[in-house]
Amino acid sequence: MAMARDAGARARGGSRRLAFFMAVLRTHPSFALGYAIVLMVVLLAIFAPWVAPYPPETADPVAFLQPPGWPHLMGTDATGMDIFSRVIWAPRIDLSIAILGTLLSALIGTTLGALVGYYQSVRGLGRFGAGFVMRSADVLQAFPVFVFAIALVAVFGQSLQSIVLAIAFVNAPIYLRLMRTQVMSIRTMRYVEAAWLAGMPDWRIIARHIVPNAMAPVLAQLSVNIGWSVLLTAALSFIGAGVKAPTPEWGSMIAMGYQNIVTGHWWPSIFPGLALAVTVFGFSLVGSSIEVLSDPARRRRLAGRLETVRGIAP
């Protein structure tokens, strides 16, 4: 009976949270737009083989630079490849690189940030190590991001793995600083001091009491950084340091088509550019919504505004 009551309570709590989330989306259309864009891009990436009308890397010399129309909805490029099919296939590459690179950077940055924030106020070797990590992060962030990413790709070699590593290195200091700031404020809380006085080891205090309560800004930053990483991937491909043509990728498609704009053939670069801009915009909106929903104070204010919706609670 107790297990059944617990299961029922969890189900009711989940339904209330879902109802609250849907109410927030109804009152914040921009958040709903962001989730719709991201969901559409993810679905296109998953179902690209069934949605795309043509193979993304098959060229038809007879159909080169055909304007948008039928049977090529977005026209063809200078090699005769269907732009609509390539725009649909491109998120598979861009999102995969961006998500892997961002998650790796978050893992590295949050781990180092939690350790630095916890030990920075401690004397001895821990404080020295924390200071060394922060000065190293300052050195990394002193370089222009794009130039630093190009240098990393040049060092590791031009491959998908190199782009993922470049994104991870570039973004890691952001998460390090976010987590460090959160941990330094949480470390002085009474429940953390109580856990320390109870003899709990440092690693357990960090993992159980500090990191879970410091993740709100990190989660919000994740979505923003995924969109930014998609843009960085496209920029590297645009200058020839990223994904190699003819692999369908928005940056390389823009690079292949921008030379034809002078002759009036705008569609080979405009359509992938629009897809890239809309995707980055969608992830930015999702990041804004996560920042609001993960903040308890903002959730309470939103719940106050949604009192007219019966049964809604954060």
Side-chain angles (χ1 to χ4, degrees), residues 102-118 171-183 206 210-211 214-219 221-222:
T102 303
L103 290 179
L104 182 59
S105 66
L107 178 62
I108 297 171
T110 53
T111 302
L112 291 176
L115 295 174
V116 168
Y118 187 83
N171 288 334
I174 299 174
Y175 295 100
L176 189 156
R177 293 186 179 279
L178 279 175
M179 181 59 70
R180 169 183 171 272
T181 303
Q182 291 292 107
V183 171
I206 294 173
I210 293 181
V211 171
M215 288 299 293
V218 173
L219 293 176
Q221 188 67 31
L222 273 175

Side-chain angles (χ1 to χ4, degrees), residues 133-220:
V133 172
M134 292 308 300
R135 298 294 77 76
S136 299
D138 291 339
V139 172
L140 290 179
Q141 291 191 301
F143 292 96
V145 172
F146 187 56
V147 175
F148 186 43
I150 295 174
L152 289 173
V153 172
V155 170
F156 294 122
Q158 188 175 357
S159 65
L160 298 182
Q161 294 83 354
S162 299
I163 303 174
V164 170
L165 290 175
I167 291 174
F169 274 108
V170 167
N171 288 334
I174 299 174
Y175 295 100
L176 189 156
R177 293 186 179 279
L178 279 175
M179 181 59 70
R180 169 183 171 272
T181 303
Q182 291 292 107
V183 171
M184 289 185 70
S185 62
I186 294 173
R187 192 182 186 280
T188 58
M189 296 293 183
R190 294 290 180 86
Y191 62 89
V192 177
E193 293 179 353
W196 182 77
L197 290 173
M200 186 176 292
D202 289 346
W203 68 267
R204 194 173 180 184
I205 293 174
I206 294 173
R208 184 174 180 179
H209 296 291
I210 293 181
V211 171
N213 293 296
M215 288 299 293
V218 173
L219 293 176

Side-chain angles (χ1 to χ4, degrees), residues 5 12 21 32 39 43 45 62 64 84 90 92 111 125 132 158 171-172 181 197 215 245 270:
R5 285 195 298 269
R12 288 191 297 272
F21 176 71
L39 179 62
L43 290 178
V62 178
F64 70 98
F84 180 65
R92 284 200 156 197
T111 302
L125 187 60
F132 175 78
Q158 188 175 357
N171 288 334
T181 303
L197 290 173
M215 288 299 293
I270 293 298

Side-chain angles (χ1 to χ4, degrees), residues 87-106:
V87 167
I88 291 175
W89 272 87
R92 284 200 156 197
I93 300 295
D94 287 308
L95 285 184
S96 298
I97 294 174
I99 291 174
L100 287 175
T102 303
L103 290 179
L104 182 59
S105 66

